[in-house]
């Protein structure tokens, strides 16, 4: 996080921490379904485009699998995660 030196990246990390807490408390999932740090590891520059790609192509498809029968949860977290890009 320090190397990236990107406030939007830091905001995304905070959102994923909150998401992980939510996942842990979800009776259908639990702690084994938390989002791991590897989604946020890169040797590339952390740009808005990179952040958007991580959210759009890595995290959201995973959430769609987790909550395929609960689209409101996916929508809630999609808005929350994508919101960091506007910050």
């Amino acid at each position: 996080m320090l190397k990236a030196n990107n406030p939007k990246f830091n905001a995304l990390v905070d959102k994923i921490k909150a998401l992980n807490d939510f996942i842990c408390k979800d009776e259908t999932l639990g702690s084994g379904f938390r989002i791991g740090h590897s989604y946020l590891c890169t040797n590339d520059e952390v740009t808005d485009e990179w952040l958007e790609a991580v959210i759009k192509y890595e995290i959201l498809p995973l959430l769609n699998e987790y909550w395929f029968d609960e689209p409101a949860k996916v929508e809630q977290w999609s808005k929350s995660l994508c919101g960091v890009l506007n910050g």
Side-chain angles (χ1 to χ4, degrees), residues 14-67:
D14 289 340
K15 292 289 183 185
I16 291 175
K17 287 178 182 179
L19 173 58
N20 280 338
D21 289 341
F22 189 82
I23 288 170
C24 284
K25 294 173 185 170
D26 189 304
E27 291 179 6
T28 63
L29 298 176
S31 64
F33 289 86
R34 290 177 292 189
I35 307 297
H37 70 281
S38 62
Y39 290 104
L40 303 172
C41 293
T42 185
N43 288 326
D44 297 331
E45 180 182 357
V46 176
T47 62
D48 286 0
E49 293 78 18
W50 185 85
L51 290 169
E52 182 179 14
V54 168
I55 294 167
K56 188 174 181 180
Y57 300 114
E58 302 290 339
I59 309 269
L60 293 181
L62 190 61
L63 298 183
N64 276 301
E65 286 183 34
Y66 287 177
W67 293 311

Side-chain angles (χ1 to χ4, degrees), residues 62-85:
L62 190 61
L63 298 183
N64 276 301
E65 286 183 34
Y66 287 177
W67 293 311
F68 66 93
D69 58 344
E70 297 183 82
K73 287 182 181 179
V74 176
E75 182 65 23
Q76 169 193 348
W77 285 102
S78 176
K79 287 180 182 178
S80 181
L81 295 169
C82 289
V84 304
L85 299 172

